[in-house]
Amino acid sequence: MGNGNYVSLSLATALERSMDLAAHNMANASTAGYKSTQALFESIEPEGGDPDMATSYVQDNGTYTDMSQGALIATGNPLDIALTGEGWLSYQTEGGATAYGRDGRLTVNADGQLATLSGAPVLNRAGNPITLPQALGQQIIFTQDGTITDLEGGVLGQIGIFRLPDVNQLVPMGNGLYLSGEDLGEVIPETDTRLSQGFIEQSNVRPILEMTRLMDIQRAYERASKLMTDENDLTKQAIQRLGNVV
């Protein structure tokens, strides 16, 4: 297989990964607090090659999380919260692990715990679920630092807001939640992020741009495939002509 085929193959592989990520972003465009994921690629040249005949290939260097702020939408629901800043909420998964996310659409479950709509309890700064008196219902107040009080100012708890050293180490698990990777680093309380009650943060995915990117990726993939087909056809023709000469 010629260099042209290798170049086209590396490009097609990179484009396929980009298409998967763009489709995943589109699927989560309406997921509250979702942060889009983008691919990282690099152009590389093989070692030991002729500098006058340099050939560049596409190398997959992983992904990164776009941490730009999603728009805040007012809901009027006292159990809806949104974060402004780089902080993350923490949740308890069914298996007892700690997950992170920014989905602030909350409810009170049957055990009186503050939880997401998918059932994951929200954790306080100490990493424990937050239990509220059943009689309060939705009559609670969230302050900007996550403190929860009743209507008379009595403190009921505090939602944990955390700073993650490397958000690119998070592993998505669905429902807007992420598990920490091995190299996440030390998670510490975040003090600069502000919490707003009665709002939810929308996904930072821009559907029109993602759809345009999907179409561009598809066209580029088709071009890369055609280049491989054309080079194979030229190779076949060359072999046939050489055979006729002999």
Side-chain angles (χ1 to χ4, degrees):
M1 187 163 60
N3 284 343
N5 269 340
Y6 285 117
V7 171
S8 298
L9 181 60
S10 69
L11 176 59
T13 302
L15 290 170
E16 182 178 9
R17 179 168 173 79
S18 293
M19 187 177 296
D20 289 342
L21 290 175
H24 182 72
N25 289 336
M26 283 294 296
N28 286 277
S30 60
T31 300
Y34 175 79
K35 301 301 180 185
S36 65
T37 304
Q38 307 296 337
L40 283 173
F41 299 112
E42 180 183 5
S43 176
I44 60 171
E45 296 181 3
E47 296 181 358
D50 185 348
D52 296 328
M53 299 289 290
T55 302
S56 297
Y57 301 93
V58 182
Q59 177 173 285
D60 184 354
N61 280 345
T63 62
Y64 71 94
T65 302
D66 178 3
M67 280 299 297
S68 61
Q69 180 76 40
L72 300 191
I73 302 298
T75 65
N77 185 345
L79 292 182
D80 284 341
I81 59 173
L83 301 181
T84 302
E86 298 182 356
W88 291 73
L89 301 173
S90 64
Y91 314 86
Q92 187 178 77
T93 67
E94 290 184 1
T98 299
Y100 299 94
R102 289 172 63 102
D103 185 354
R105 299 171 297 175
L106 306 182
T107 186
V108 178
N109 63 21
D111 297 323
Q113 296 174 337
L114 202 59
T116 66
L117 297 181
S118 61
V122 181
L123 305 180
N124 59 21
R125 284 195 174 191
N128 301 315
I130 300 169
T131 302
L132 301 176
Q134 292 279 9
L136 284 179
Q138 296 186 355
Q139 304 302 309
I140 58 176
I141 296 173
F142 295 93
T143 63
Q144 288 190 342
D145 66 352
T147 300
I148 308 169
T149 70
D150 57 27
L151 298 183
E152 297 178 354
V155 177
L156 305 172
Q158 184 177 17
I159 288 181
I161 303 175
F162 300 95
R163 176 180 292 274
L164 308 184
D166 187 359
V167 297
N168 294 310
Q169 296 298 324
L170 294 175
V171 180
M173 59 174 295
N175 293 322
L177 302 184
Y178 300 82
L179 291 174
S180 58
E182 296 180 357
D183 301 322
L184 179 63
E186 183 182 3
V187 177
I188 59 175
E190 163 66 31
T191 57
D192 293 332
T193 296
R194 292 292 174 261
L195 184 150
S196 300
Q197 184 177 15
F199 291 81
I200 59 171
E201 180 189 7
Q202 288 190 314
S203 162
N204 68 354
V205 174
R206 291 178 286 183
I208 294 178
L209 291 182
E210 288 293 340
M211 183 61 69
T212 302
R213 196 158 69 91
L214 270 173
M215 291 187 292
D216 289 342
I217 292 171
Q218 185 173 5
R219 294 192 192 100
Y221 187 88
E222 291 172 353
R223 288 195 295 268
S225 298
K226 188 175 186 303
L227 284 174
M228 286 188 284
T229 301
D230 290 346
E231 180 157 338
N232 288 337
D233 289 343
L234 289 173
T235 302
K236 289 179 183 178
Q237 292 174 17
I239 293 175
Q240 291 173 353
R241 290 178 181 178
L242 287 173
N244 291 334
V245 171
V246 174

